Amino acid sequence: MCQSCLGMHSYAPVEGPGVGGVSLLPVSMAVLGIETSCDETAAAVVCDGAQVLSSVVSSQIDLHSAFGGVVPEIASRAHQRLLPSVVARALREADGAAGATPDAVAATAGPGLTGALVVGVSAGKALSIAWGVPFVAVNHLEAHLYAAFLENSGIPLPQVVLLVSGGHTMLVLMSGHGRYKLLGQTLDDAAGEAFDKVARLLGLGYPGGPAIDRLAAEGDPDAIAFPRPMLADGLNFSFSGLKTAVAVYLRRNPEAPAADVAASFQRAVTDTLEAKALRALRRCGTRNLTLAGGVAANSELRRRFKALDARTFLPSRAMCTDNAAMVAAAGWWQLQREGPSSLGVGPDPSWGMPGA
Ligand code: KG4
Ligand code: ZN
């Protein structure tokens, strides 16, 4: 696909436990990534897990915003309608008119919405059969971890990853590629979910994270002392009490400036995330910290984490929220380790972090 890949692959033995110890993979490899787990229809071509040749994201926000959240049935239908043109564009932008095919196809197989996942997994398998290339079923959470590797393939390990998205909030120790230990996670709402729910309380629409981020810039983060849930101990999180505290405050103070509420809420979330991430670094005896997931696009969180006494890695904002480049990258690394997935594999809507 790219100059180094195009039409001239040399094949080299690669250690791979899933394929009898050795597999034959192109030395330089372009992977088509497909992401349809929620409300973004995305495709990307990434060379060797790091060089992004194209990344196309078609957001369905307009289709869902009237409902205040993602409607699964609408999401699957939209993926089905949009995916062919999104894939075609990703291939075109990666390769101009050369018409070369990728060396592998990676699709998100879970966690996510069942019907939405079916569309991406089926398309990925069909393309891999048509092109005669390997198919890789990728875990969406692991893909978020690999977003940072797109911009720095040499991130030192072990590292702690703080994954904060719309569906998940977790701290993970990554001791090697494919080797994860879950350190802590939310006991109720995810951080992104809290942003979305508070945005709805403030009448800011969906998705709420970016709207709160913008509004908070005009507010006073110390105006309201919202709770910092479970701050004092452990590595688990809880955000539903914070959301309730905002709802109660707004009921009692209907005239409160929305910007102050947004800024104070955002400060409470970032204080909590920062304290837990630092605790995880101390416990694991490492200074390497990566942020991942949609909430990692948040301005205050990024500013705070850049200022930490740690070696912090932040993917660009576009790579924090759902995209297919991270899926292609995770797929490439998985192919090196384990070889292709079986074509019999189906979507797994509740797939957790592999091995964690
Ligand atoms: O990773 P992601 O795109 O999808 C999931 O896998 O869930 O994360 C989406 C979440 C949403 O809850 C959205 O409100 C939040 O990320 N988000 C943000 C920002 N941009 C997206 N939250 C806070 N500040 C932002 N700038
Ligand atoms: Zn995601």
Side-chain angles (χ1 to χ4, degrees), residues 140 144 165-167 192-193 195-196 207-210 213 293-295 297-298 320-322:
H140 183 81
H144 271 301
S165 70
E193 199 178 347
F195 269 94
D196 294 335
D213 195 345
V295 179
N298 182 266
C320 289
T321 47
D322 286 352

Side-chain angles (χ1 to χ4, degrees), residues 1-2 7 65 79 88 101 108 133 138 153 162 203 209 227 229 268 271 278 300 304 311 313 320:
M1 288 294 299
C2 62
S65 56
H79 286 310
T101 54
T108 300
V133 300
V138 169
S153 57
L162 173 62
D271 277 355
L278 287 174
E300 182 176 358
R304 293 271 293 272
R311 211 181 311 165
F313 301 91
C320 289

Side-chain angles (χ1 to χ4, degrees), residues 140-158:
H140 183 81
L141 307 176
E142 191 175 13
H144 271 301
L145 259 63
Y146 275 95
F149 285 88
L150 285 166
E151 284 151 47
N152 184 346
S153 57
I155 292 178
L157 301 176

Side-chain angles (χ1 to χ4, degrees), residues 1-354:
M1 288 294 299
C2 62
Q3 289 308 311
S4 54
C5 290
L6 190 60
M8 291 192 303
H9 293 133
S10 54
Y11 286 76
V14 178
E15 292 292 320
V19 284
V22 172
S23 65
L24 288 178
L25 293 174
V27 171
S28 192
M29 178 179 240
V31 177
L32 170 69
I34 294 176
E35 162 59 39
T36 62
S37 66
C38 191
D39 60 343
E40 318 282 3
T41 312
V45 180
V46 176
C47 197
D48 294 338
Q51 189 189 354
V52 181
L53 304 182
S54 64
S55 178
V56 181
V57 180
S58 173
S59 172
Q60 302 176 8
I61 284 173
D62 292 349
L63 299 177
H64 301 285
S65 56
F67 303 95
V70 179
V71 183
E73 179 65 21
I74 293 177
S76 340
R77 285 167 187 259
H79 286 310
Q80 205 146 27
R81 204 176 60 249
L82 295 166
L83 190 59
S85 58
V86 167
V87 168
R89 193 170 142 206
L91 293 173
R92 213 169 41 240
E93 288 182 6
D95 198 42
T101 54
D103 304 296
V105 183
T108 300
L113 304 169
T114 310
L117 291 166
V118 166
V119 177
V121 169
S122 305
K125 286 197 227 174
L127 288 170
S128 91
I129 293 168
W131 290 333
V133 300
F135 170 74
V136 198
V138 169
N139 179 286
H140 183 81
L141 307 176
E142 191 175 13
H144 271 301
L145 259 63
Y146 275 95
F149 285 88
L150 285 166
E151 284 151 47
N152 184 346
S153 57
I155 292 178
L157 301 176
Q159 65 159 338
V160 168
V161 183
L162 173 62
L163 170 54
V164 267
S165 70
H168 297 85
T169 296
M170 49 175 68
L171 278 161
V172 175
L173 173 65
M174 180 178 186
S175 52
H177 289 283
R179 294 178 57 206
Y180 312 108
K181 182 174 176 217
L182 184 62
L183 301 170
Q185 62 187 326
T186 183
L187 303 180
D188 41 56
D189 291 354
E193 199 178 347
F195 269 94
D196 294 335
K197 286 178 174 170
V198 168
R200 205 176 311 155
L201 291 171
L202 291 170
L204 297 177
Y206 172 85
I212 292 211
D213 195 345
R214 278 190 299 275
L215 185 62
E218 299 156 24
D220 175 4
D222 298 316
I224 308 151
F226 288 129
R228 272 73 172 148
M230 301 178 70
L231 190 66
D233 55 15
L235 295 174
N236 287 331
F237 304 85
S238 165
F239 289 109
S240 77
L242 172 58
K243 169 208 67 192
T244 305
V246 175
V248 170
Y249 182 86
L250 284 171
R251 257 200 313 276
R252 290 183 185 153
N253 304 274
E255 304 302 322
D260 286 351
V261 177
S264 301
F265 160 76
Q266 184 175 271
R267 176 61 58 87
V269 175
T270 47
D271 277 355
T272 309
L273 295 177
E274 181 185 292
K276 302 273 177 178
L278 287 174
R279 186 171 296 140
L281 289 177
R282 277 195 302 276
R283 281 205 193 163
C284 297
T286 175
R287 295 185 67 244
N288 306 321
L289 176 64
T290 287
L291 265 183
V295 179
N298 182 266
S299 311
E300 182 176 358
L301 196 64
R302 297 175 77 81
R303 188 174 51 72
R304 293 271 293 272
F305 273 63
K306 275 183 201 158
L308 289 181
D309 178 24
R311 211 181 311 165
T312 308
F313 301 91
L314 289 172
S316 63
R317 283 169 197 267
M319 291 299 145
C320 289
T321 47
D322 286 352
N323 66 85
M326 67 185 195
V327 176
W332 182 84
W333 284 94
Q334 189 173 321
L335 212 41
Q336 311 302 309
R337 291 194 313 270
E338 300 167 24
S341 304
S342 155
L343 286 177
V345 74
D348 183 351
S350 52
W351 196 3
M353 177 67 79

